[in-house]
């Protein structure tokens, strides 16, 4: 079993849809949870960063962490074609060594 | 504020050769981490440098080594290149103790033939 599991997709949605992206993990020591967006052949760009459990909202993006279920989610509201990218979840117990999911490829169709 | 930069952008080497990749950290950051991202996979942690010393290492062999310089820039060296070393190498910087996370550079794409 991988330490971080993420459905690789691909996921295709129409413009304006709500997108839900998820990861599960096995290491209960993880305390820091991140979502990165990565365009093709580019470096990952930080979208959301949360510590411990709870929700965090930033514009059209909402991140949720449920440590009891070892489950994290990213919601994208009013999705746009420019949101088409690979979304990576990442987590860490010490904010140093980050463990990534394999990434979910998202396409938002106009 | 200057972001993380990496050089070169692309590199082609042959099996058995050695390679050096470079990274300049974001202004104000004192820690540099290196990750390897194979095609279609998430990044994997190689190691982190803080105060010019290795501050954690992932499951990579000793032929992967690094340096951090007083200006917080960093190098990743890979000896005896293997075909499986072909990947995107990512550098990420952070300010240790700040509670903030890591910010990535654009990466160096290494192809080993």
């Amino acid at each position: 079993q991988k330490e971080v599991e993420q459905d690789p997709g691909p996921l295709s949605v129409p413009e304006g849809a709500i997108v839900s992206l998820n990861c599960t993990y096995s290491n209960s020591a993880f305390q820091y949870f991140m979502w990165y967006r990565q365009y093709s052949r580019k470096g990952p760009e930080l979208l959301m960063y949360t510590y411990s459990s709870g929700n965090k909202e930033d514009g059209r993006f909402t991140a949720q962490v449920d440590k009891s279920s070892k489950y994290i989610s990213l919601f994208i509201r009013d999705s746009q074609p420019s949101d088409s990218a690979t979304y990576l979840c990442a987590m860490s117990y010490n904010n140093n060594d980050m463990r990534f999911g394999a990434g979910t490829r998202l396409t938002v169709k106009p | 504020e200057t972001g993380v930069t990496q050089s070169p952008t692309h590199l082609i080497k042959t099996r058995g050769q050695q390679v050096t990749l470079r990274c300049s950290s974001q202004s104000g950051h004192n820690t540099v981490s290196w990750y390897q991202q194979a095609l279609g996979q998430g990044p994997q942690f190689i190691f982190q440098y803080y105060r010019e010393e290795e501050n954690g290492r992932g499951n990579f062999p000793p032929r992967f080594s690094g340096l951090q310089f007083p200006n917080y820039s960093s190098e990743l060296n890979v000896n005896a290149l293997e075909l499986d070393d072909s990947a995107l190498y990512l550098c990420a910087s952070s300010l240790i103790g700040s509670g903030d996370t890591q910010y990535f550079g654009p990466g160096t794409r290494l192809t080993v033939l």
Side-chain angles (χ1 to χ4, degrees), chain A residues 34-48:
Chain A
M34 284 70 65
W35 285 95
Y36 287 87
R37 176 174 63 193
Q38 187 173 29
Y39 292 110
S40 182
R41 296 181 174 269
K42 302 291 185 184
E45 170 194 9
L46 179 68
L47 285 176
M48 301 292 280

Side-chain angles (χ1 to χ4, degrees), chain A residues 8-57:
Chain A
L11 182 62
S12 180
V13 301
E15 183 175 355
I18 296 175
V19 177
S20 173
L21 303 167
N22 312 292
C23 288
T24 59
Y25 62 95
S26 57
N27 189 343
S28 58
F30 287 145
Q31 299 185 81
Y32 301 90
F33 303 92
M34 284 70 65
W35 285 95
Y36 287 87
R37 176 174 63 193
Q38 187 173 29
Y39 292 110
S40 182
R41 296 181 174 269
K42 302 291 185 184
E45 170 194 9
L46 179 68
L47 285 176
M48 301 292 280
Y49 171 53
T50 55
Y51 173 74
S52 195
S53 285
N55 296 355
K56 185 174 184 179
E57 187 174 320

